Each structure stands twice: as C-alpha cells, then as structure tokens.
Amino acid sequence: MRLFVVDDHPVTRAGMAALIGAEPDMTLVGEAATAADAVAGVADTAPDVVLMDLQLGDGPDGVEATRRLRALPDPPYVLVLTTYDTDSDIVRAIDAGAIGYILKAGPPDELFAAIRAAAEGHSALSPQVATKMMNRMREPLPSLTNREIDILRLLAAGSGNRDIAKQLYITEATVKTHLVHIFRKLNVDSRTAAVREAVRRKLIRMS
C-alpha cells in the first residue's frame, strides 16, 4: 500500500513515517503540510491512501484538501487522522469524500487496520466516532421553521445578511439570530456548510 501523509506538524509526520516504515505492506511515498502541497504531491506520487489531518495551519483545512483530492482524475482514498471528534467535523469530512475517520489517540493497530480497510475501499471509523455517528442517526432531526428555510434559500442564492434582512423585512440582528438556530439544528458551523447540509437533506434546492 502506498501512503501519503498530510499534517502541518513535522513531528507528527516524522512519527507517522516511523510507524508506516515498520509495516511490511506499507510504503510512505510522500508528505505535505498544506492542502495545495497535498494535491500536487498526490498527483505526482499516486498513493492508495492519504492520511489527512483536519487542521492545516492558516490555509484551507483538511476537509477542503479532502474535497480537492477526491476531485482528482484518479483520486486516492482519504482517511482522516485527527484529534477532533465533534459531530460537525466528522460530517464535514465524510461529506467531502473521506472514506474513514480515525482519532490520533487510538492505538497503532487500530490505525493500521483502518488503513488496510481504506485501501480496499471499505469505510473505517474509530469506535468513538462510530458511536457518535450511530447516536446522531438515532436522534430525531430538529425541524426548521418556514422563516429559517427562507433564509437558507437566500443564503444559497448568495445573499448576505443585509440583503436577507431587506428581502424578508426583518433586522440584520434577527437574521443573525435565525442563523444561530439554523447552524445548531443542522449541526454545522458556517453558511456554506448550512447550505450544503440543507441541500443534502432536500430542505432546499440549488438553482
């Protein structure tokens, strides 16, 4: 298996190189600290699996890097390897095309098993992440009000808070309050993610 590591911490990359080097069926073919370098490096080395951290310094994060890698003509499988286990991080990564989500706090055997599963096209989740996802699926989805749906449609059309306020005859402060409720109900942390999740749930349609 040909592996590529994306992490902005040199010590972490060195540690991963040492771990991978001890596995007879795994070879580290490259590493990168940014999303741009990851895309360029993967295009040059054609790995089977990319191990992706979520936080990559000041540039695009690991979710965006995952999205770019999966858009390549011959995309590798992307296995997220991170310390973050919030619901929003997990959902964003999987929506971007990650085949698995593993926590750095887990034992090496868990990581190696996940890498081998990913290389064969199978999903892989840390036990804690799997539990979170199952609990999330069991919980009833909070419903959005008609006003919140209207705001989501305007967000999808590219409207800012001021434009939304004018079109709906409400104040900008009210728009911001609605956005807080929308983010909480959709379990997202940005306007873009809210629109994407609303489209995925078929609450709105992109024009």
Side-chain angles (χ1 to χ4, degrees):
M1 281 169 286
R2 296 166 59 81
L3 307 181
F4 193 103
V5 174
V6 183
D7 196 297
D8 63 338
H9 291 97
V11 172
T12 299
R13 295 199 305 272
M16 289 304 305
L19 284 173
I20 292 169
E23 294 299 300
D25 60 340
M26 298 181 187
T27 302
L28 182 64
V29 297
E31 58 182 62
T34 68
D37 288 346
V39 174
V42 165
D44 288 339
T45 58
D48 299 306
V49 178
V50 174
L51 301 178
M52 177 69 68
D53 191 14
L54 287 187
Q55 298 299 320
L56 300 178
D58 297 330
D61 64 7
V63 170
E64 177 59 25
T66 297
R67 188 172 291 111
R68 294 181 187 181
L69 291 178
R70 293 299 297 166
L72 292 174
D74 187 18
Y77 293 115
V78 178
L79 180 63
V80 170
L81 179 62
T82 185
T83 58
Y84 302 92
D85 65 347
T86 64
D87 287 2
S88 60
D89 284 328
I90 297 167
V91 171
R92 287 176 63 234
I94 293 174
D95 282 348
I99 197 168
Y101 199 106
I102 302 298
L103 300 180
K104 290 181 177 179
D109 287 348
E110 180 181 295
L111 172 61
F112 295 140
I115 291 172
R116 293 184 176 101
E120 295 180 358
H122 303 307
S123 61
L125 300 173
S126 287
Q128 302 96 311
V129 174
T131 298
K132 278 179 171 287
M133 293 301 290
M134 290 299 296
N135 290 340
R136 189 172 188 271
M137 291 175 65
R138 292 191 185 105
E139 292 173 356
L141 297 175
S143 60
L144 273 68
T145 65
N146 290 335
R147 177 65 80 192
E148 290 165 351
I149 295 293
D150 290 340
I151 290 175
L152 278 168
R153 289 196 181 102
L154 292 172
L155 284 180
S159 299
N161 288 3
R162 181 175 298 178
D163 290 335
I164 292 173
K166 287 182 178 179
Q167 293 185 62
L168 298 181
Y169 302 100
I170 57 179
T171 67
E172 287 188 59
T174 300
V175 173
K176 292 178 181 178
T177 298
H178 281 306
L179 287 174
V180 169
H181 295 160
I182 290 169
F183 287 4
R184 176 179 55 78
K185 290 180 179 180
L186 296 181
N187 196 29
V188 297
D189 55 10
S190 72
R191 300 160 74 94
T192 300
V195 170
R196 186 167 59 244
E197 181 66 9
V199 171
R200 188 184 71 83
R201 296 188 187 183
K202 298 181 179 180
L203 299 173
I204 62 172
R205 294 181 180 180
M206 294 296 290
S207 56

